[in-house]
Amino acid sequence: MTRSDVTIIGAGPAGLAAAIEAARAGAKVVLVDENARPGGQLFKQIHKFFGSREHFAGTRGIDLARKLCQEAQELGVQLVLDTAAFAIYDGRIVAGTTPKGTVQIESERIILATGAMENTFSFKGWTKPGVMGAGAAQTMINLHRVLPGSRILMVGSGNVGLIVTYQLLQAGADVVAVIEALPKIGGYAVHAAKVRRAGVPILTSHTVLEAKGEPEVSSAVICQLDDFKPVAGTEREVEVDTVCLAVGLTPLAELAWMAGCQCEYLPALGGFVPVHDERMETTVKGIFVAGDVTGVEEASTAIEEGRLAGIAAAASLGLLSPDEAEERMTAAWERLAALRMGPFGEGRQAAKEQLMKVGKAG
Amino acid sequence: MRVLDHPILGRLEARRKVTITVDGQPVEAFEGEPILAALLAKGIRVNRITKKRHEPRGLFCGIGRCTDCVMVVNGVPNVRTCVTPVAEGMTVETQQGLGKWGKAK
């Protein structure tokens, strides 16, 4: 059995940041990921982040991933890749499955940074080849450099829908329209403007009724909505070979559930999420959380939460003095507060506060 | 279809090519890419046929979570093609239902 001070599950932005902070404080860190390389979803984010410089504005996700991976490596973080963590026993043993069998890692502290998965929704024909998650399409074009289709209908105008639309255009596909069930666009205005400048219409109060074609998608039927109800007579068939669904994400909280961490249902954060305190510790002592698993946000917020969890885990092992830990955590909290400002961040900020209130009361 | 030129990512780097067999036909692939990507590059989007209703399925999540893209690979059914890299000489078959175990390689 492998032993470590801190075992982190998930090597995306949150997990990498947690690993870096814990290792910098002197902890022996093991970072587990089911993929063949670390970086999580950052490697498909080829767009530049915005905000302020300390939030990596102007940096592309792919470059940030390389930087974080290099830093973790330099600090001696032990990467355990191709390993899907499937269980936590006694709050301290992580079990994982690899192509060669199972492994166990015993550690003093565990940080769950398992991320989130895409939501879907069902309509007639939604199981046909050609209907897929927007993130799936993004993985294919940016990571594997293949197009999953050539004429695309994007369902959902949140940031994922808008950004992936633009990236599909960059990869050489046609996006015939972005449709949105709500009466207004979900994502940032800058992303929406970019999509519109490229000539892609964004149709609000619209949904998809059916994906047609045998055996794969060759068209889709869309229609207008009035208060989320289809308006009769507005149906029209659009010629597309691909329908991408960008309808939100759900936190991957299974391991937290299994370990006995209390979870709360907070729609603003994407569903059931593990309750945590200001040190990112869950209701199970020694198990911390960071990133999308405890509320779907962005890579930049995931990094800050990862830092908090890494610092807190190291401090709880006596590797940082209370003053040092306090100072570093305060700085991270200030950056998080800045990231959660504005009309898009406020809802998440309020939900996060509620989550931590439960954590304190717990 | 491959994304050969990309405004951000640049030109697709030349990689070693391997040949795999898909439903009896040779298909050229880049070493290390997922099976699914090699198939998409050739425009193949149906990976399996469901057991009960005999419906086609293909790429859905692309990260090994949904299992919609599973195929019979080297005689082993239910292999997630979106997270399994190709290798020289690999045989890949469209999976019928739950798939049949074949001759392992």
Side-chain angles (χ1 to χ4, degrees), chain A residues 318-336:
Chain A
L319 296 166
L320 288 170
S321 73
D323 286 349
E324 275 174 310
E326 186 66 30
E327 192 185 319
R328 293 184 198 182
M329 290 180 76
T330 304
W333 272 113
E334 279 166 7
R335 290 190 297 267
L336 264 179

PDB file of all heavy atoms in Angstrom, chain A residues 318-336:
ATOM      1  N   GLY A 318       0.180  20.072  11.038  1.00  0.00           N
ATOM      2  CA  GLY A 318       1.238  20.772  11.769  1.00  0.00           C
ATOM      3  C   GLY A 318       2.393  21.204  10.880  1.00  0.00           C
ATOM      4  O   GLY A 318       3.464  21.562  11.376  1.00  0.00           O
ATOM      5  N   LEU A 319       2.199  21.179   9.561  1.00  0.00           N
ATOM      6  CA  LEU A 319       3.275  21.534   8.639  1.00  0.00           C
ATOM      7  C   LEU A 319       3.381  23.042   8.407  1.00  0.00           C
ATOM      8  O   LEU A 319       4.363  23.526   7.863  1.00  0.00           O
ATOM      9  CB  LEU A 319       3.099  20.810   7.305  1.00  0.00           C
ATOM     10  CG  LEU A 319       3.203  19.286   7.381  1.00  0.00           C
ATOM     11  CD1 LEU A 319       2.695  18.639   6.105  1.00  0.00           C
ATOM     12  CD2 LEU A 319       4.647  18.870   7.652  1.00  0.00           C
ATOM     13  N   LEU A 320       2.338  23.760   8.788  1.00  0.00           N
ATOM     14  CA  LEU A 320       2.363  25.221   8.705  1.00  0.00           C
ATOM     15  C   LEU A 320       1.954  25.755  10.070  1.00  0.00           C
ATOM     16  O   LEU A 320       1.114  25.147  10.734  1.00  0.00           O
ATOM     17  CB  LEU A 320       1.359  25.737   7.669  1.00  0.00           C
ATOM     18  CG  LEU A 320       1.661  25.537   6.181  1.00  0.00           C
ATOM     19  CD1 LEU A 320       0.416  25.895   5.363  1.00  0.00           C
ATOM     20  CD2 LEU A 320       2.833  26.405   5.754  1.00  0.00           C
ATOM     21  N   SER A 321       2.535  26.863  10.478  1.00  0.00           N
ATOM     22  CA  SER A 321       2.103  27.452  11.746  1.00  0.00           C
ATOM     23  C   SER A 321       0.725  28.061  11.533  1.00  0.00           C
ATOM     24  O   SER A 321       0.371  28.413  10.397  1.00  0.00           O
ATOM     25  CB  SER A 321       3.098  28.535  12.177  1.00  0.00           C
ATOM     26  OG  SER A 321       2.929  29.675  11.356  1.00  0.00           O
ATOM     27  N   PRO A 322      -0.069  28.183  12.590  1.00  0.00           N
ATOM     28  CA  PRO A 322      -1.410  28.757  12.424  1.00  0.00           C
ATOM     29  C   PRO A 322      -1.358  30.127  11.754  1.00  0.00           C
ATOM     30  O   PRO A 322      -2.223  30.446  10.934  1.00  0.00           O
ATOM     31  CB  PRO A 322      -1.933  28.861  13.863  1.00  0.00           C
ATOM     32  CG  PRO A 322      -1.170  27.820  14.618  1.00  0.00           C
ATOM     33  CD  PRO A 322       0.178  27.744  13.967  1.00  0.00           C
ATOM     34  N   ASP A 323      -0.334  30.927  12.084  1.00  0.00           N
ATOM     35  CA  ASP A 323      -0.235  32.267  11.490  1.00  0.00           C
ATOM     36  C   ASP A 323       0.024  32.204   9.990  1.00  0.00           C
ATOM     37  O   ASP A 323      -0.592  32.908   9.197  1.00  0.00           O
ATOM     38  CB  ASP A 323       0.886  33.077  12.161  1.00  0.00           C
ATOM     39  CG  ASP A 323       0.472  33.537  13.557  1.00  0.00           C
ATOM     40  OD1 ASP A 323      -0.737  33.394  13.886  1.00  0.00           O
ATOM     41  OD2 ASP A 323       1.345  34.012  14.306  1.00  0.00           O
ATOM     42  N   GLU A 324       0.974  31.327   9.612  1.00  0.00           N
ATOM     43  CA  GLU A 324       1.287  31.181   8.185  1.00  0.00           C
ATOM     44  C   GLU A 324       0.057  30.726   7.413  1.00  0.00           C
ATOM     45  O   GLU A 324      -0.260  31.249   6.349  1.00  0.00           O
ATOM     46  CB  GLU A 324       2.372  30.105   8.007  1.00  0.00           C
ATOM     47  CG  GLU A 324       3.780  30.578   8.153  1.00  0.00           C
ATOM     48  CD  GLU A 324       4.738  29.390   8.097  1.00  0.00           C
ATOM     49  OE1 GLU A 324       4.513  28.387   8.823  1.00  0.00           O
ATOM     50  OE2 GLU A 324       5.686  29.476   7.323  1.00  0.00           O
ATOM     51  N   ALA A 325      -0.622  29.720   7.972  1.00  0.00           N
ATOM     52  CA  ALA A 325      -1.803  29.175   7.298  1.00  0.00           C
ATOM     53  C   ALA A 325      -2.857  30.258   7.158  1.00  0.00           C
ATOM     54  O   ALA A 325      -3.453  30.428   6.094  1.00  0.00           O
ATOM     55  CB  ALA A 325      -2.345  27.990   8.088  1.00  0.00           C
ATOM     56  N   GLU A 326      -3.062  30.995   8.230  1.00  0.00           N
ATOM     57  CA  GLU A 326      -4.069  32.050   8.252  1.00  0.00           C
ATOM     58  C   GLU A 326      -3.782  33.091   7.159  1.00  0.00           C
ATOM     59  O   GLU A 326      -4.677  33.484   6.396  1.00  0.00           O
ATOM     60  CB  GLU A 326      -4.065  32.714   9.631  1.00  0.00           C
ATOM     61  CG  GLU A 326      -5.154  33.752   9.857  1.00  0.00           C
ATOM     62  CD  GLU A 326      -6.551  33.133   9.848  1.00  0.00           C
ATOM     63  OE1 GLU A 326      -6.683  31.955  10.236  1.00  0.00           O
ATOM     64  OE2 GLU A 326      -7.487  33.829   9.405  1.00  0.00           O
ATOM     65  N   GLU A 327      -2.525  33.480   7.095  1.00  0.00           N
ATOM     66  CA  GLU A 327      -2.134  34.507   6.119  1.00  0.00           C
ATOM     67  C   GLU A 327      -2.394  34.036   4.686  1.00  0.00           C
ATOM     68  O   GLU A 327      -2.978  34.746   3.866  1.00  0.00           O
ATOM     69  CB  GLU A 327      -0.643  34.819   6.318  1.00  0.00           C
ATOM     70  CG  GLU A 327      -0.172  36.054   5.587  1.00  0.00           C
ATOM     71  CD  GLU A 327       1.334  36.241   5.736  1.00  0.00           C
ATOM     72  OE1 GLU A 327       1.864  36.026   6.869  1.00  0.00           O
ATOM     73  OE2 GLU A 327       1.970  36.562   4.724  1.00  0.00           O
ATOM     74  N   ARG A 328      -1.965  32.813   4.382  1.00  0.00           N
ATOM     75  CA  ARG A 328      -2.139  32.284   3.022  1.00  0.00           C
ATOM     76  C   ARG A 328      -3.610  32.077   2.690  1.00  0.00           C
ATOM     77  O   ARG A 328      -4.043  32.299   1.564  1.00  0.00           O
ATOM     78  CB  ARG A 328      -1.389  30.953   2.865  1.00  0.00           C
ATOM     79  CG  ARG A 328       0.110  31.111   2.943  1.00  0.00           C
ATOM     80  CD  ARG A 328       0.828  29.813   2.684  1.00  0.00           C
ATOM     81  NE  ARG A 328       2.204  29.905   3.168  1.00  0.00           N
ATOM     82  CZ  ARG A 328       3.103  28.943   3.055  1.00  0.00           C
ATOM     83  NH1 ARG A 328       2.787  27.805   2.475  1.00  0.00           N
ATOM     84  NH2 ARG A 328       4.315  29.101   3.517  1.00  0.00           N
ATOM     85  N   MET A 329      -4.370  31.621   3.681  1.00  0.00           N
ATOM     86  CA  MET A 329      -5.788  31.366   3.412  1.00  0.00           C
ATOM     87  C   MET A 329      -6.563  32.663   3.246  1.00  0.00           C
ATOM     88  O   MET A 329      -7.456  32.746   2.406  1.00  0.00           O
ATOM     89  CB  MET A 329      -6.389  30.494   4.517  1.00  0.00           C
ATOM     90  CG  MET A 329      -5.854  29.064   4.447  1.00  0.00           C
ATOM     91  SD  MET A 329      -6.498  27.983   5.715  1.00  0.00           S
ATOM     92  CE  MET A 329      -8.115  27.682   5.103  1.00  0.00           C
ATOM     93  N   THR A 330      -6.199  33.670   4.010  1.00  0.00           N
ATOM     94  CA  THR A 330      -6.876  34.963   3.870  1.00  0.00           C
ATOM     95  C   THR A 330      -6.668  35.514   2.465  1.00  0.00           C
ATOM     96  O   THR A 330      -7.593  36.018   1.828  1.00  0.00           O
ATOM     97  CB  THR A 330      -6.350  35.972   4.925  1.00  0.00           C
ATOM     98  OG1 THR A 330      -6.533  35.376   6.209  1.00  0.00           O
ATOM     99  CG2 THR A 330      -7.095  37.282   4.871  1.00  0.00           C
ATOM    100  N   ALA A 331      -5.432  35.380   1.964  1.00  0.00           N
ATOM    101  CA  ALA A 331      -5.140  35.883   0.620  1.00  0.00           C
ATOM    102  C   ALA A 331      -5.983  35.137  -0.417  1.00  0.00           C
ATOM    103  O   ALA A 331      -6.545  35.744  -1.342  1.00  0.00           O
ATOM    104  CB  ALA A 331      -3.649  35.714   0.322  1.00  0.00           C
ATOM    105  N   ALA A 332      -6.106  33.832  -0.253  1.00  0.00           N
ATOM    106  CA  ALA A 332      -6.908  33.036  -1.198  1.00  0.00           C
ATOM    107  C   ALA A 332      -8.381  33.421  -1.114  1.00  0.00           C
ATOM    108  O   ALA A 332      -9.072  33.536  -2.130  1.00  0.00           O
ATOM    109  CB  ALA A 332      -6.722  31.547  -0.925  1.00  0.00           C
ATOM    110  N   TRP A 333      -8.856  33.649   0.111  1.00  0.00           N
ATOM    111  CA  TRP A 333     -10.269  34.050   0.269  1.00  0.00           C
ATOM    112  C   TRP A 333     -10.546  35.398  -0.384  1.00  0.00           C
ATOM    113  O   TRP A 333     -11.610  35.618  -0.945  1.00  0.00           O
ATOM    114  CB  TRP A 333     -10.674  34.079   1.748  1.00  0.00           C
ATOM    115  CG  TRP A 333     -11.155  32.744   2.207  1.00  0.00           C
ATOM    116  CD1 TRP A 333     -10.562  31.920   3.113  1.00  0.00           C
ATOM    117  CD2 TRP A 333     -12.332  32.050   1.747  1.00  0.00           C
ATOM    118  NE1 TRP A 333     -11.283  30.750   3.241  1.00  0.00           N
ATOM    119  CE2 TRP A 333     -12.367  30.807   2.434  1.00  0.00           C
ATOM    120  CE3 TRP A 333     -13.329  32.348   0.836  1.00  0.00           C
ATOM    121  CZ2 TRP A 333     -13.384  29.864   2.221  1.00  0.00           C
ATOM    122  CZ3 TRP A 333     -14.342  31.417   0.622  1.00  0.00           C
ATOM    123  CH2 TRP A 333     -14.362  30.199   1.315  1.00  0.00           C
ATOM    124  N   GLU A 334      -9.560  36.289  -0.303  1.00  0.00           N
ATOM    125  CA  GLU A 334      -9.753  37.603  -0.938  1.00  0.00           C
ATOM    126  C   GLU A 334      -9.851  37.456  -2.461  1.00  0.00           C
ATOM    127  O   GLU A 334     -10.686  38.087  -3.104  1.00  0.00           O
ATOM    128  CB  GLU A 334      -8.618  38.559  -0.556  1.00  0.00           C
ATOM    129  CG  GLU A 334      -8.849  39.170   0.824  1.00  0.00           C
ATOM    130  CD  GLU A 334      -7.631  39.854   1.402  1.00  0.00           C
ATOM    131  OE1 GLU A 334      -6.612  39.984   0.682  1.00  0.00           O
ATOM    132  OE2 GLU A 334      -7.699  40.261   2.586  1.00  0.00           O
ATOM    133  N   ARG A 335      -8.997  36.606  -3.009  1.00  0.00           N
ATOM    134  CA  ARG A 335      -9.053  36.393  -4.457  1.00  0.00           C
ATOM    135  C   ARG A 335     -10.376  35.736  -4.852  1.00  0.00           C
ATOM    136  O   ARG A 335     -10.983  36.089  -5.863  1.00  0.00           O
ATOM    137  CB  ARG A 335      -7.871  35.533  -4.919  1.00  0.00           C
ATOM    138  CG  ARG A 335      -6.527  36.245  -4.843  1.00  0.00           C
ATOM    139  CD  ARG A 335      -5.427  35.460  -5.525  1.00  0.00           C
ATOM    140  NE  ARG A 335      -5.164  34.176  -4.897  1.00  0.00           N
ATOM    141  CZ  ARG A 335      -4.243  33.975  -3.943  1.00  0.00           C
ATOM    142  NH1 ARG A 335      -3.491  34.980  -3.524  1.00  0.00           N
ATOM    143  NH2 ARG A 335      -4.056  32.786  -3.434  1.00  0.00           N
ATOM    144  N   LEU A 336     -10.846  34.795  -4.028  1.00  0.00           N
ATOM    145  CA  LEU A 336     -12.129  34.135  -4.310  1.00  0.00           C
ATOM    146  C   LEU A 336     -13.289  35.123  -4.283  1.00  0.00           C
ATOM    147  O   LEU A 336     -14.165  35.098  -5.141  1.00  0.00           O
ATOM    148  CB  LEU A 336     -12.399  33.041  -3.270  1.00  0.00           C
ATOM    149  CG  LEU A 336     -12.004  31.621  -3.637  1.00  0.00           C
ATOM    150  CD1 LEU A 336     -12.316  30.688  -2.482  1.00  0.00           C
ATOM    151  CD2 LEU A 336     -12.720  31.150  -4.900  1.00  0.00           C
TER     152      LEU A 336
END
